[in-house]
Every structure is written in C-alpha cells, then in structure tokens.
Amino acid sequence: MIETRPLILITNDDSVQAPGLLRLIDCMPQNVDIIAVAPAEPHSGQSSAITVGAPLRIKALPDYGNARMFAVTGTPVDCVKIAMHAIVPRKPDLVLAGINHGSNSGCNVVYSGTMGAVLEGCTEGIASCGFSLLHHSWQADFTMGMPFISEMVKKLIKDGLPEGVCLNVNIPARVEPKGIRVCRAAKGYWTDEYEKYSDPSGNPFYWLTGRFVNSEPNATDTDEYWLSQEYISVVPVACDMTAAQPIDFLAKRFDK
Amino acid sequence: MIETRPLILITNDDSVQAPGLLRLIDCMPQNVDIIAVAPAEPHSGQSSAITVGAPLRIKALPDYGNARMFAVTGTPVDCVKIAMHAIVPRKPDLVLAGINHGSNSGCNVVYSGTMGAVLEGCTEGIASCGFSLLHHSWQADFTMGMPFISEMVKKLIKDGLPEGVCLNVNIPARVEPKGIRVCRAAKGYWTDEYEKYSDPSGNPFYWLTGRFVNSEPNATDTDEYWLSQEYISVVPVACDMTAAQPIDFLAKRFDK
C-alpha cells in the first residue's frame, strides 16, 4: 500500500549539497515517502524567481537514507514546479524547505528562496513550511532544533494547514530552544546595503552587504522578539498578497 | 527650489531598453524629477530576487526627455536598492515600475520582477505602484492605458498610499479601458508547466510554458474579472506577508 503513505517533497535554496537539506531529511518520521528536489547550485536570495527563457535539467542522485534525491538546474520555485510536473508519483502531502543556512525572519521572507519554494507549494494547495537556522555557516550545528522540527512535521502531516497559509519557521542558533511561539513577522528593512569598490581600471562596482533594522524593537509579539528570547518563531504567511482591508478606501480614490 | 519637486524613481523588469519603460516615463507629469534605474538585461519572473555574492555595476545613459537614465547589472530589486544607496539625491516620493510587457494579475504578482521592485519601494516606506499591460510583445501598444496612468500618478503624488500597501495595476490590451476598479487578486495557479525535449545526445530537458488557471472563474470582485470586462484592475498588495488571522488558531497547535 505504498500509495497511502504520506509523500513529502523537500527542497531548499542552498543547493542539494547543503548539510541543512540532509538534516531536514533526518527529521522526517518513519513510514513516509521522501523526495528531495533541490537546486544544483546555491540560490540564496532568489525569492519566488522562476527560470524564463532557458532550459532546466533534472539529475537523479544516489538516495540519502530512504529519500530519493534530485538536482535541478534552476531556482527553488523551479524545483517545486518541475517536481510536481515530472518527478513526484502523486500529489505530495507536504512541501518542506530548508533547513536554511541563515535567518529568514522579519522582512527577509520577501527575498528568501526557501520561502519562495514554500509559497509555491502553498499556491499548489499543499501544506508547506520552511525551516531556517539563524546561522550562515556551512558547518552550522542544526541538532538542537531538530527535535522541534520532527514534532512540527508530525503535526503538519496529521492536521495540514489552513488554506492559503504556509509557515516560516526560524530557529535560534547555538542554544537549546526554550519552546515555540506562533507570531507575526517584525516590520523592518535593510540599511547600509552596499560596499563600493574600484576595479583595476578605476571603475566602481558594488557588493551587497548591509544590516537588518527592526522597526519594532520594543514589540513583544514578533518573530525577532521571540528569537531574541531563544524561542523558535513560527510565522503564518499568506499565499495571497492582496491587502483586502484598504480596498474600499482606495476604490473611493481610484475607481472610475 | 529643485529639492521641493517630487522625485519619482522608475524601474521595470524588462530592461532599460524596453519600450514600456519609456512609455511610463511619458506618463509623468510636468514639474517632477525623474530618475530611471532599470536592469541592463531582461529579468522577467525574478520576483524579489537579489544579487548575492556577485558585484553590481551602474552605467549612466543619455537622458530620456527630462529623465536621468541608469542601467544596473542586476535584478529589479537590486535596481531599487542600489538607486536608494548610490543614485538618488534624496528619498523618492514614488517608486513606479513598468509598464510591464505582460500581465501580472492573479497569482502572477508572486513571480513578477515588476512587483518585486514595487514591494521593495514599499518596504523602504515609499508609495509604490507597478503597471503592467496584458500584452507580451515588444511592439505592444501602450497608448490607450497611458491617460489612466497619468491620472493615477498625479493622485499618488498628492495623496501617497496607506503604510505597508503598494499597488499592482494591470491594463487590458488592444482596447480603450472602460474605467478603473480597485479589487482583490483572483486565486489561481499555473498548470501544464513544462515542455519536454531531448537534446542531440538523447538527454531530456524542460522549458517553462503552461497556462494560468483562475480558481474563481465566477467571482465578480477579482482582477481577472475586471480585466475580462475591459477595466484596469488595481490590487492593493501587502508588503508584510504575515497572515495575522490564523495566528491564535495555530498557536494552540504549535506553541510550547
């Protein structure tokens, strides 16, 4: 009865070689089918980008444990789309992404390739969740967050998620998490974003850097707050980006 | 008193060569300062992607009318970020993107580089709006929508937008628009997404194609509906992707 086992599609944005991808697979329960379809190369900061006007290739890799593994020459969203079209034998029960090497809290959800893949799963009507560790290193230690991920995944398999809502989970680094809090994303923005250089011919070029500014440093109901308290933050993210509340107000201004 | 004139930052995702960019500049009122900073190459489907781990260059181009013109070797969001950091002399009053060659209605807002740039402007606290024509051709005729854009831009300069909300404007092609309707995005998804090929060695590759499926074909309050009625659709888009409504419900399930 292999068709009745839950099928979990796993991806990330750090590439199929990333340790975080394997650690997420390690968190999966017994008695599920796992297919990992991840970018052949790192694609951080790719948001919901799709490959337009260029071909994609799929490469089957050796299994990792009981997970079937595939590399795709595209973005995280490409991975989900082509997995759904050409790889999975049936509609997955979950789309999971991560564990990302680095934070996707606050406004970073907008730029995140991890969360781009999760939004794609949600758009396709599948319960979807992204996991990120607040540590960029390839050698980051994921172990302290993994029992929490395992427990969340079991609940996601059992209960799913409300329609049109996916989850952005961030995990504090280098500590035993004190617990889990479902909360909202802190409002914020990036500043001091570029380092300026001169090339050998004296022509300038710029390199992205910068620091995140939390616009709500005193709020106690945001992901930034709970992460600072060493909790895992879980932010429900809307797949539909419409801001419904101001429609009537703006209709008075613009309708004609 | 040049500092007191409204400053409008314009970008797009079709590149600085795109006719739609010039037509958007043509819609600007007198007595404003215009700086256009657009990708050097086309970047459709780039969403809110940012260039990580590679340099960006800025190239000044000849003015177009009274607009200063710059090309950037990156994505639409890169253009807004680096314009704010290294090009604009003061904080812009508006960030506008387009006119896009092709629709960004329904769920396409998620993949849109045009709307990625607009969300970036919104995140930086600037009233921001994207304009798209439902026609992909480089030779598309933008003229019938332009008086509507001009009028909207005047209102945006005068009144701004509610905090955290930007606009996704789509314009029907090949018709005189009957009017403007502020509305919500139709829920939907893409299907039949890839064409499969064999390369000369017999190895498969895939190319993105597909068709948009409107999940709400009978709804009369969506952008897809109003566009089908030959109206311009204006969808308010939330810069904060948090789905606030299910936080309490999900906290009961996941908090610990």
Side-chain angles (χ1 to χ4, degrees):
Chain A
M1 305 299 178
I2 196 164
E3 286 76 20
T4 66
R5 287 157 59 107
L7 173 60
I8 302 181
L9 175 61
I10 295 184
T11 190
N12 74 353
D13 71 359
D14 290 316
S15 88
V16 73
Q17 289 88 22
L21 182 74
L22 304 183
R23 296 298 81 73
L24 182 54
I25 295 171
D26 294 339
C27 294
M28 295 303 108
Q30 300 294 314
N31 303 313
V32 298
D33 291 334
I34 304 166
I35 298 179
V37 182
E41 301 292 334
H43 277 79
S44 284
Q46 287 296 291
S47 186
S48 289
I50 50 178
T51 299
V52 177
L56 297 179
R57 285 184 182 275
I58 302 169
K59 184 178 181 188
L61 303 173
D63 290 355
Y64 173 75
N66 66 332
R68 294 173 60 203
M69 304 288 288
F70 298 88
V72 169
T73 58
T75 67
V77 169
D78 289 335
C79 288
V80 174
K81 283 184 179 290
I82 206 162
M84 296 294 290
H85 183 85
I87 300 176
V88 298
R90 59 190 188 278
K91 187 172 178 176
D93 299 274
L94 292 183
V95 172
L96 304 179
I99 304 170
N100 192 59
H101 292 249
S103 168
N104 281 315
S105 61
C107 71
N108 299 306
V109 59
V110 172
Y111 311 111
S112 165
T114 304
M115 288 305 299
V118 169
L119 282 163
E120 184 64 23
C122 187
T123 299
E124 304 223 17
I126 303 169
S128 300
C129 179
F131 299 96
S132 304
L133 182 75
L134 272 62
H135 197 303
H136 272 95
S137 166
W138 213 248
Q139 284 78 39
D141 179 6
F142 293 93
T143 53
M144 285 186 281
M146 288 170 63
F148 293 87
I149 295 175
S150 292
E151 193 179 330
M152 283 195 71
V153 170
K154 282 181 193 149
K155 290 182 181 178
L156 289 168
I157 292 171
K158 180 168 168 286
D159 298 322
L161 283 173
E163 190 185 332
V165 175
C166 52
L167 300 183
N168 180 21
V169 178
N170 281 272
I171 301 166
R174 298 193 194 89
V175 294
E176 181 78 34
K178 287 182 180 159
I180 297 177
R181 285 295 180 272
V182 180
C183 55
R184 66 185 178 87
K187 295 185 188 2
Y189 59 94
W190 284 79
T191 190
D192 301 333
E193 292 207 275
Y194 293 92
E195 193 92 33
K196 187 177 181 180
Y197 300 83
S198 280
D199 71 17
S201 306
N203 298 313
F205 62 93
Y206 297 83
W207 212 289
L208 192 68
T209 168
R211 59 190 168 83
F212 176 70
V213 178
N214 179 353
S215 305
E216 309 179 279
N218 298 318
T220 58
D221 61 345
T222 69
D223 55 355
E224 296 294 339
Y225 172 78
W226 284 111
L227 289 163
S228 76
Q229 301 299 304
E230 303 184 350
Y231 279 75
I232 292 171
S233 65
V234 177
V235 173
V237 172
C239 169
D240 178 357
M241 299 170 75
T242 300
Q245 189 266 330
I247 287 179
D248 290 345
F249 168 76
L250 292 168
K252 290 195 184 78
R253 188 179 298 172
F254 291 111
D255 274 11
K256 63 178 284 183
Chain B
M1 305 299 179
I2 196 166
E3 284 77 17
T4 64
R5 286 158 60 109
L7 172 60
I8 302 182
L9 175 61
I10 294 183
T11 188
N12 73 352
D13 71 359
D14 290 316
S15 89
V16 73
Q17 288 88 20
L21 182 74
L22 303 184
R23 294 300 81 72
L24 183 53
I25 295 171
D26 292 340
C27 295
M28 295 303 108
Q30 298 295 313
N31 303 314
V32 298
D33 291 333
I34 304 166
I35 298 179
V37 182
E41 301 293 333
H43 277 79
S44 284
Q46 287 295 291
S47 187
S48 289
I50 51 178
T51 298
V52 177
L56 297 178
R57 285 184 183 273
I58 302 169
K59 184 178 180 187
L61 303 173
D63 289 356
Y64 174 74
N66 66 332
R68 293 173 61 203
M69 304 289 286
F70 298 88
V72 169
T73 57
T75 67
V77 169
D78 290 334
C79 288
V80 174
K81 283 184 179 291
I82 207 161
M84 296 294 289
H85 184 85
I87 299 177
V88 298
R90 60 190 186 277
K91 187 172 179 177
D93 299 274
L94 292 183
V95 172
L96 304 179
I99 304 171
N100 192 58
H101 292 248
S103 168
N104 282 315
S105 61
C107 72
N108 298 307
V109 59
V110 172
Y111 311 111
S112 164
T114 304
M115 287 306 299
V118 168
L119 282 163
E120 184 64 24
C122 186
T123 299
E124 304 223 17
I126 303 168
S128 300
C129 179
F131 299 95
S132 304
L133 182 75
L134 272 61
H135 198 302
H136 272 95
S137 166
W138 212 248
Q139 284 79 38
D141 178 7
F142 293 93
T143 51
M144 286 187 280
M146 287 171 63
F148 294 87
I149 294 175
S150 291
E151 193 179 330
M152 283 195 71
V153 170
K154 281 181 194 149
K155 289 181 181 179
L156 289 168
I157 291 171
K158 180 168 168 286
D159 298 322
L161 282 173
E163 190 184 333
V165 175
C166 52
L167 300 183
N168 180 21
V169 178
N170 282 272
I171 302 166
R174 298 193 192 89
V175 293
E176 180 78 35
K178 288 181 181 158
I180 297 178
R181 285 294 181 274
V182 180
C183 54
R184 66 185 178 88
K187 294 185 187 3
Y189 59 95
W190 284 79
T191 190
D192 301 333
E193 292 207 273
Y194 293 93
E195 194 92 36
K196 188 177 181 180
Y197 299 84
S198 281
D199 71 16
S201 307
N203 298 313
F205 62 94
Y206 298 83
W207 212 290
L208 191 68
T209 168
R211 57 191 170 82
F212 176 70
V213 178
N214 179 353
S215 304
E216 309 178 278
N218 299 316
T220 58
D221 61 345
T222 68
D223 54 356
E224 296 294 337
Y225 172 77
W226 284 110
L227 288 163
S228 76
Q229 300 300 304
E230 303 184 347
Y231 280 74
I232 291 172
S233 66
V234 177
V235 173
V237 172
C239 169
D240 178 356
M241 299 170 78
T242 300
Q245 188 267 328
I247 287 179
D248 290 345
F249 168 76
L250 292 168
K252 290 195 183 77
R253 189 179 296 173
F254 291 111
D255 275 11
K256 65 177 283 183

